Amino acid sequence: MRIVLEESLMAYMKEKGKKDIVVEVITSDSSDFEITELHTHFVNAKQKEYFKTKKHFYSKETAMGEVLLPPYRMEFCETVTFRLKSFLFIKYVTQEGIRL
């Protein structure tokens, strides 16, 4: 598996001092249905250590830092791409190439 960070994401990470990204499995359970999806966001050093030690996430090195992946069974494409998206001045990280 090869991890690619887009140029706009790397520029944003340098500007904001961010180095590490985590991919979490999030489940929302209401009375009618259940939704499970992947949530991608930045973490600081303290959070990174928590995910690695307490939640047993494993890391993959990138050009900017690390990507932390959960210890669950997931499908990975040969190339996993992380992008920076923006909606109404809110910036967030998306990924392509990882499936549950």
Side-chain angles (χ1 to χ4, degrees), residues 6 17 20 24 28 34 37-40 44 50 54 56 81 91 100:
E6 281 196 339
D20 303 308
E24 287 187 277
S28 175
E34 181 178 313
E37 62 181 31
L38 294 173
H39 176 62
T40 308
N44 60 30
Y50 171 77
K54 301 286 186 194
H56 306 291
T81 306
K91 301 214 185 285
L100 288 173

Side-chain angles (χ1 to χ4, degrees), residues 33-50:
F33 57 91
E34 181 178 313
I35 298 173
T36 301
E37 62 181 31
L38 294 173
H39 176 62
T40 308
H41 59 96
F42 297 113
V43 290
N44 60 30
K46 187 176 180 181
Q47 293 168 323
K48 179 174 95 170
E49 198 58 37
Y50 171 77

Side-chain angles (χ1 to χ4, degrees), residues 21-83:
I21 298 172
V22 67
V23 178
E24 287 187 277
V25 176
I26 304 294
T27 302
S28 175
D29 188 12
S30 71
S31 61
D32 296 333
F33 57 91
E34 181 178 313
I35 298 173
T36 301
E37 62 181 31
L38 294 173
H39 176 62
T40 308
H41 59 96
F42 297 113
V43 290
N44 60 30
K46 187 176 180 181
Q47 293 168 323
K48 179 174 95 170
E49 198 58 37
Y50 171 77
F51 279 106
K52 288 172 109 177
T53 58
K54 301 286 186 194
K55 290 192 162 191
H56 306 291
F57 278 46
Y58 63 96
S59 66
K60 293 285 188 178
E61 288 292 324
T62 67
M64 295 295 294
E66 294 180 59
V67 172
L68 302 174
L69 300 166
Y72 308 121
R73 201 162 220 199
M74 297 186 297
E75 294 179 29
F76 296 99
C77 292
E78 211 167 291
T79 302
V80 176
T81 306
F82 289 91
R83 293 184 172 90

